[in-house]
Amino acid sequence: MQNIVSSDWLAGEIERNNKNLVIVDTRFNLGNPDEGYQQYLEGHLPGAIYVDLEKHLSAPIDKHGGRHPLPQADILAKTLGDLGISNDSNAVIYDDQGGMNASRLWWLLNYIGVSDAAVLDGGWKKWTSENKPITTVVPNPSPKSLLPHLNNEWKWVNHFDVQKKLNQTDTILIDSRENPRYLGEFEPIDAVAGHIPGAKNYFWKDVLNEKGTWREREELITHFSDIPLSKEIIVYCGSGVSACPNILALKEAGYSNVKLYAGSWSDWISYSDNPIAVGNERVGDK
């Protein structure tokens, strides 16, 4: 299965009753954490289960690790297995935010060894705009065995790893936040504004076209053309969520050595000795 699938393809899989198909709704609003589940109850794709960004796809917040720490692999596998996902599942994930939350689960599934995982192109908005079927019936899936087999191609790094890479020419840091946050012109969420010194800014929404669907592969190759294919790429955002669409887009464009800085900016600034940059200037310790 591809990393991105169309609404027509998914509708066909639903119609032919693909037994391995698992559809996952990941709608979530950071400002109102209960809203996504309420939206799910009001209507979702047929057979879709609901997975919560903070309850299911993140570990509890601690002093370090950022606002959405990665869950432990065994805990995540147990959680998703109880919801009916197995190692052999064909998981198709959607949200209503351009694939931001869906990509987080896509990355996590690949990380723990569920390789047939894809993001639904256009998500909820495109599906409903095409008058494709929705339902309010909440499924009761049978628990499945999901054994975590960590995939070495889907590595994540911590702040110590990033510190070591700051001055290495073979590594490129990508900041996925919108440009004013990257520049430190404003910071609506985290306690400190700015970015990791040396990071390049590629706002994650720029991998989408004006219709809110994913850009074609050739467009993504052009979008990232300033980044050599041979480089190690470390991608971060505010808390390790919106970095994931950029990772998906980089994979689509042919980059293989791509890693997630899981804690991202909210983790970086939790260490008092980490340097930051505002605008184009490095300003030292936070």
Side-chain angles (χ1 to χ4, degrees):
M1 192 162 63
Q2 299 176 336
N3 292 322
I4 303 166
V5 297
S6 70
S7 53
D8 286 341
W9 179 90
L10 179 56
E13 293 301 290
I14 294 172
E15 185 174 350
R16 77 178 186 89
N17 195 26
N18 179 348
K19 299 297 184 182
N20 287 333
L21 180 67
V22 179
I23 303 173
V24 189
D25 187 317
T26 59
R27 285 177 286 176
F28 188 85
N29 181 352
L30 289 173
N32 183 359
D34 295 325
E35 182 178 277
Y37 184 60
Q38 291 304 314
Q39 291 174 330
Y40 167 80
L41 294 177
E42 293 167 6
H44 49 266
L45 272 64
I49 59 173
Y50 182 77
V51 170
D52 187 288
L53 171 64
E54 294 186 341
K55 294 177 181 177
H56 300 131
L57 305 183
S58 305
I61 296 176
D62 207 340
K63 181 179 179 180
H64 302 298
R67 286 182 280 107
H68 294 106
L70 286 188
Q72 293 181 20
D74 56 343
I75 294 175
L76 176 65
K78 177 66 166 59
T79 297
L80 297 179
D82 287 346
L83 292 172
I85 299 176
S86 71
N87 298 85
D88 297 326
S89 291
N90 305 143
V92 178
I93 316 151
Y94 71 92
D95 59 31
D96 60 354
Q97 292 177 288
M100 182 180 74
N101 299 323
S103 295
R104 165 81 167 205
L105 178 54
W106 165 86
W107 186 92
L108 284 167
L109 286 171
N110 277 280
Y111 170 62
I112 64 172
V114 182
S115 58
D116 279 341
V119 173
L120 177 61
D121 198 11
W124 172 257
K125 293 178 180 178
K126 188 172 189 292
W127 183 270
T128 53
S129 72
E130 296 169 344
N131 294 315
K132 286 184 165 57
I134 62 173
T135 183
T136 58
V137 176
V138 176
N140 184 26
S142 300
K144 299 287 181 66
S145 175
L146 175 51
L147 301 177
H149 301 296
L150 300 189
N151 189 334
N152 287 331
E153 294 182 8
W154 297 80
K155 294 180 179 178
W156 60 276
V157 300
N158 59 30
H159 95 105
F160 295 109
D161 300 313
V162 176
Q163 282 180 330
K164 295 175 185 176
K165 303 288 186 177
L166 283 184
N167 298 312
Q168 294 191 12
T169 58
D170 288 338
T171 300
I172 293 177
L173 275 174
I174 288 181
D175 187 314
S176 302
R177 298 171 300 164
E178 57 188 313
N179 190 249
R181 287 186 70 192
Y182 164 81
L183 293 174
E185 295 175 352
F186 85 109
E187 180 48 64
I189 304 175
D190 292 309
V192 179
H195 60 270
I196 301 174
K200 299 178 180 291
N201 184 217
Y202 285 83
F203 182 35
W204 75 269
K205 285 189 177 180
D206 290 339
V207 303
L208 307 175
N209 59 33
E210 64 280 356
K211 296 180 180 179
T213 55
W214 292 82
R215 294 188 181 276
E216 297 293 334
R217 182 174 184 273
E218 293 302 319
E219 294 178 284
L220 293 174
I221 290 173
T222 300
H223 178 61
F224 294 116
S225 60
D226 289 340
I227 302 176
L229 284 167
S230 60
K231 299 289 186 179
E232 175 192 50
I233 304 170
I234 296 174
V235 189
Y236 75 93
C237 55
S239 65
V241 179
S242 64
C244 294
N246 261 340
I247 293 176
L248 193 158
L250 285 160
K251 293 282 189 180
E252 286 290 291
Y255 295 84
S256 58
N257 191 3
V258 185
K259 298 171 183 175
L260 171 67
Y261 173 20
S264 287
W265 180 249
S266 55
D267 173 64
W268 184 259
I269 62 174
S270 71
Y271 295 90
S272 60
D273 58 343
N274 278 340
I276 67 169
V278 175
N280 295 314
E281 299 294 328
R282 178 168 171 154
V283 297
D285 294 344
K286 73 181 184 69

